[in-house]
Amino acid sequence: MAGVAALALTLANPASAEDKALTVVSWGGAYQASQQEAYIKPFAKETGTKITEEEYNGEIAKIRAMVEAKAVTWDVVDVDTQTALAACAEGILEPIDYAKIGVDRSKMIGGDQFDCAVPTILYSTIFAYDADKLKDGPKTVADLFDTKKFPGKRALQKNPFINLEWALMADGVATKDLYKVLSTPEGVDRAFKKLDTIKKDVVWWEAGAQTPQLLADGQIVMGSTWNGRIYNAIKNDHKNFVIVWDGQAPDYDLWAIPKGSPRTDLAYQFIAFATKPENQANQTNYISYGPANTEATPHIAPDVLKDLPSAPDNMKNAIIVDPQFWADKGEELRERFNAWLAQ
């Protein structure tokens, strides 16, 4: 009887039933699990919305195909910076109206860089060391390049991204000037010349789990990776690793709405909910990523905040990554980097 009544109500109010359904797409794993606890479950409970979750691997082609076929079934998608820029340029994401979110765009770290997506979290490329093996460890990016003071192998990602920025920092370029310098041929030459000074001492990694393992095995004295990898090694594996936040390079994940979603208004409601300071602060209880909303900081417990990329002390000399630079120059620099590695 209850089922029949519910069916009758749905048939009588098809638009209402449709309006209260939303498909949210993200990357799976511990990250999507943190989104479930901080945003998806609370939003569904508060609004009565039925949320369907899907996972993907960041394929812009899937968004493009839906939009071009005018058959959009994804309503809110977690995208990386490159997808946010490329998909916006293609016109397959809705331009974001911050008035509908109810948050000051200037309060969102990186908010001014994206017209079609709203930053949600910050993760960061950092470098770290094992305090059991280095009692007085590195403090700055310059120390990463100082093989006399800190002899031994260091691990770096097999990618020019951030390595070129760090090379210029170690060569005396201020963080605010990095992309101005790196946009010139002379600046690129300068970065590679600095990388030459440590090339023979580098172990190149391609998976984020490698650096914590190399540190634990004593095969390197320090190494770069993503902050969450080191945090997990400290928290779950009880390693005495130390993150060096100098020159950290935060990157973003962002919420976006595919062009032509029939539930744009509800998608905006979800993004507004997921952007509230207290809700972004809540996500930090489940994963060591920083909130993009700077007004979330006072809501985060001090013992949690100190391990986040967005902590004010950790952001003091951070690199504000220019995603447009890497979108424009990335392929060219990767080709040069790979040729340099082969030399």
Side-chain angles (χ1 to χ4, degrees), residues 19-317:
D19 286 346
K20 286 299 182 180
L22 200 67
T23 298
V24 177
V25 184
S26 190
W27 303 80
Y31 177 48
Q32 191 159 344
S34 74
Q35 292 173 320
Q36 289 168 0
E37 298 302 324
Y39 311 128
I40 293 171
K41 291 178 182 178
F43 181 78
K45 183 178 180 180
E46 181 176 301
T47 64
T49 302
K50 179 184 177 183
I51 296 182
T52 300
E53 291 184 66
E54 293 190 26
E55 298 178 15
Y56 82 139
N57 290 316
E59 305 96 332
I60 191 174
K62 290 189 174 182
I63 302 173
R64 184 187 300 118
M66 287 183 184
V67 174
E68 290 179 349
K70 299 187 185 308
V72 177
T73 59
W74 290 357
D75 304 308
V76 182
V77 184
D78 187 302
V79 296
D80 59 20
T81 52
Q82 292 186 2
T83 301
L85 291 170
C88 189
E90 288 186 32
I92 59 176
L93 296 178
E94 294 282 353
I96 293 296
D97 181 354
Y98 268 82
K100 293 183 178 181
I101 299 172
V103 64
D104 184 343
R105 187 172 182 173
S106 68
K107 301 295 184 181
M108 303 296 293
I109 299 174
D112 61 337
Q113 300 184 48
F114 305 94
D115 293 329
C116 300
V118 181
T120 178
I121 58 98
L122 285 80
Y123 63 94
S124 195
T125 302
I126 50 83
F127 72 99
Y129 65 95
D130 187 342
D132 285 340
K133 299 183 175 68
L134 280 179
K135 300 303 181 184
D136 186 18
K139 305 292 190 298
T140 67
V141 169
D143 290 337
L144 179 66
F145 285 76
D146 191 340
T147 55
K148 291 183 178 178
K149 185 176 181 181
F150 298 102
K153 298 289 186 180
R154 46 264 284 143
L156 294 176
Q157 187 176 13
K158 198 175 183 180
N159 193 313
F161 179 65
I162 304 306
N163 287 328
L164 296 182
E165 288 94 328
W166 278 351
L168 289 177
M169 279 187 70
D171 206 42
V173 178
T175 53
K176 65 182 179 65
D177 296 326
L178 288 174
Y179 293 103
K180 181 170 67 176
V181 174
L182 203 51
S183 294
T184 67
E186 296 80 12
V188 173
D189 290 344
R190 182 177 174 183
F192 276 100
K193 185 177 180 180
K194 189 64 177 179
L195 282 173
D196 279 335
T197 65
I198 61 169
K199 186 177 182 181
K200 65 181 179 59
D201 296 296
V202 174
V203 176
W204 301 102
W205 62 265
E206 297 183 73
Q210 288 177 255
T211 292
Q213 191 60 55
L214 289 166
L215 279 173
D217 293 344
Q219 296 185 47
I220 59 174
V221 294
M222 63 187 78
S224 71
T225 186
W226 300 298
N227 71 288
R229 296 288 186 172
I230 297 298
Y231 177 80
N232 287 340
I234 295 169
K235 183 178 180 181
N236 300 326
D237 300 329
H238 309 292
K239 297 297 183 183
N240 192 19
F241 295 166
V242 177
I243 291 175
V244 179
W245 291 105
D246 182 62
Q248 67 146 318
D251 204 353
Y252 316 95
D253 267 31
L254 312 97
W255 294 118
I257 304 172
K259 191 84 169 180
S261 163
R263 291 165 290 276
T264 301
D265 288 344
L266 192 57
Y268 264 110
Q269 289 180 42
F270 176 82
I271 293 174
F273 183 88
T275 308
K276 288 182 178 179
E278 59 272 26
N279 294 338
Q280 290 218 334
N282 186 29
Q283 190 181 12
T284 67
N285 294 316
Y286 303 101
I287 200 160
S288 62
Y289 295 153
N293 190 338
T294 57
E295 294 186 330
T297 301
H299 299 272
I300 302 172
D303 62 324
V304 174
L305 181 63
K306 65 180 177 60
D307 295 313
L308 302 180
S310 56
D313 284 348
N314 298 339
M315 287 290 292
K316 283 180 179 177
N317 200 33

